[in-house]
Amino acid sequence: MSELSYNGISIDILEPDEEESKKHIEHDFAVLVRENIEKIIKERFIPWIKGENFPNKDDDLILEGLNIYYICYDYGRIIAEYSPTGKEDFFGHFEFEMESSNDYTSDMLEAVAMEVYVLGDEIVKVDGYDV
């Protein structure tokens, strides 16, 4: 567990390299804060949620219907084949787990996770998957 939190949710630090993650979490979280986490969700994650099935859904109403219930972080090496940049490097990786909290989003999702990859001072990838 780190001392950092977002909307009252403490950010868990994951293994396997917890000590290395502790060295990088504050910097990487500052990158997310600078870019505005709500803006990241709205502009870079909600389009993934909408996909081809819900293109006309309102982004603000979707954002209101997402309840973040868990956040975790790890820092480590990702080989080129799986790297968000296509090159081997060390990345900060945040995962925000969310669930539908209203009728507007209930037909779109039950629970999803947003993954945010940080390299240096920038967010290099935002992705998602169904939980």
Side-chain angles (χ1 to χ4, degrees), residues 46 49 54 57-68 98-111:
I46 286 179
I49 293 173
F54 304 98
K57 288 270 195 173
D58 183 88
D59 292 352
D60 291 321
L61 293 175
I62 294 170
L63 185 62
E64 286 177 24
L66 294 175
N67 175 48
I68 299 171
M98 308 172 202
E99 62 190 355
S100 173
S101 66
N102 66 22
D103 289 339
Y104 193 78
T105 56
S106 66
D107 63 335
M108 301 175 71
L109 61 104
E110 285 185 37

Side-chain angles (χ1 to χ4, degrees), residues 14-92:
L14 301 178
E15 296 179 5
D17 199 345
E18 192 173 336
E19 289 306 312
E20 194 64 28
S21 294
K22 286 179 181 179
K23 293 177 187 176
H24 294 273
I25 189 170
E26 287 188 30
H27 172 271
D28 290 350
F29 188 69
V31 172
L32 268 63
V33 170
R34 182 190 75 225
E35 295 293 324
N36 186 321
I37 295 170
E38 191 171 288
K39 182 179 176 186
I40 295 166
I41 294 169
K42 189 172 179 183
E43 294 179 1
R44 298 177 74 175
F45 184 62
I46 286 179
W48 174 84
I49 293 173
K50 290 168 68 172
E52 295 176 6
N53 296 327
F54 304 98
N56 298 321
K57 288 270 195 173
D58 183 88
D59 292 352
D60 291 321
L61 293 175
I62 294 170
L63 185 62
E64 286 177 24
L66 294 175
N67 175 48
I68 299 171
Y69 62 88
Y70 179 72
I71 306 169
C72 60
Y73 172 83
D74 65 302
Y75 180 86
R77 180 177 69 93
I78 302 177
I79 62 172
E81 182 179 354
Y82 301 107
S83 167
T85 61
K87 297 179 182 174
E88 182 173 320
D89 215 324
F90 287 83
F91 297 87

